[in-house]
Amino acid sequence: MWLTEVTADSAYAALDACPRGEACGLGAAYAYSTAMGWISTVMYYSFWAVAAWAGGALIGRELESGTARLAWSQGVSPARWLTAKLALPAVALVLGGAVFVPVHRWARSAHRDLMGDHLLFNDVFTDHGPLVVAYGLCALAVGTLTGLLLGRPLPALAISVAATTLLNRTPEHLRPDPLPRSDFWPAHLTETGLVLAITALATTAAFSLLHHRTA
């Protein structure tokens, strides 16, 4: 919002101050576009942080330290324990995405003449709708499953990041290229559905694995 409402005016002022035909103001426009691009990229790759945290700290460390088994021995069922672990971060991801996506769409469309991105860019494509939330939830589920499988924080962290990266890279090759604007929503929603299906499978597998190991 700061970039859109404040910084953009400085970029336009620099462009207006340039003599016609000269490129002296392009640096300000480039700085604006770069800053917006970094915000989009950081949000896009935030699933790495979610996967690392879920596999390493949320689940792996709890199992390795024995904290989880202590909770189970005190009357908290394993399923209830896992549900409590996942509920708050899942809600945070959904609410965070619900705020970020419309703000991102508004900011990106406000000064298109200063921007150098395209809907086919991976971060723009993902951040432009619910797909960014789906990848966050998928990272949470995959990290949880990996943490339960390995029970050790560092290996779970590394494998969670690797697995979610693979899951992220594969659908990129299935997107239409070039992407005319009318193709965006069908492609975006199809990928969102695919990622949410993987999320559901990973979540189901995590609960099943936990039940099997604690039965």
Side-chain angles (χ1 to χ4, degrees), residues 19 27 54 76 119 144 169 171:
V76 178
L119 275 176
T144 297
R169 289 292 179 265

Side-chain angles (χ1 to χ4, degrees), residues 113-134:
D113 50 339
L114 297 178
M115 297 294 294
D117 59 6
H118 188 276
L119 275 176
L120 195 56
F121 287 11
N122 293 326
D123 54 348
V124 177
F125 181 89
T126 302
D127 293 347
H128 216 57
L131 183 56
V132 67
V133 179

Side-chain angles (χ1 to χ4, degrees), residues 41-202:
T41 300
V42 168
M43 187 63 179
Y44 171 55
Y45 285 109
S46 63
F47 72 86
W48 281 349
V50 175
W53 174 75
L58 185 67
I59 303 298
R61 186 173 62 187
E62 292 277 306
L63 294 177
E64 184 179 58
S65 66
T67 306
R69 292 194 176 277
L70 177 62
W72 303 339
S73 68
Q74 294 179 346
V76 178
S77 70
R80 183 180 173 187
W81 171 83
L82 186 56
T83 300
K85 286 288 183 183
L86 296 179
L88 185 59
V91 170
L93 288 169
V94 172
L95 293 180
V99 173
F100 174 79
V101 170
V103 173
H104 174 264
R105 289 171 58 86
W106 163 75
R108 183 177 175 273
S109 62
H111 305 293
R112 290 302 306 148
D113 50 339
L114 297 178
M115 297 294 294
D117 59 6
H118 188 276
L119 275 176
L120 195 56
F121 287 11
N122 293 326
D123 54 348
V124 177
F125 181 89
T126 302
D127 293 347
H128 216 57
L131 183 56
V132 67
V133 179
Y135 272 119
L137 293 174
C138 186
L140 178 64
V142 171
T144 297
L145 177 60
T146 304
L148 289 171
L149 283 169
L150 300 180
R152 298 172 60 195
L154 290 181
L157 183 156
I159 294 178
S160 296
V161 172
T164 51
T165 300
L166 179 62
L167 289 171
N168 171 260
R169 289 292 179 265
T170 302
E172 289 179 3
H173 301 291
L174 304 178
R175 294 172 189 164
D177 185 12
L179 192 72
R181 183 166 294 273
S182 60
D183 290 339
F184 171 77
W185 282 114
H188 185 97
L189 294 178
T190 297
E191 188 169 333
T192 300
L194 174 63
V195 174
L196 289 178
I198 295 172
T199 303
L201 289 173

Side-chain angles (χ1 to χ4, degrees), residues 15-24:
L15 288 170
D16 291 340
C18 278
R20 184 178 298 274
E22 296 188 15
C24 55

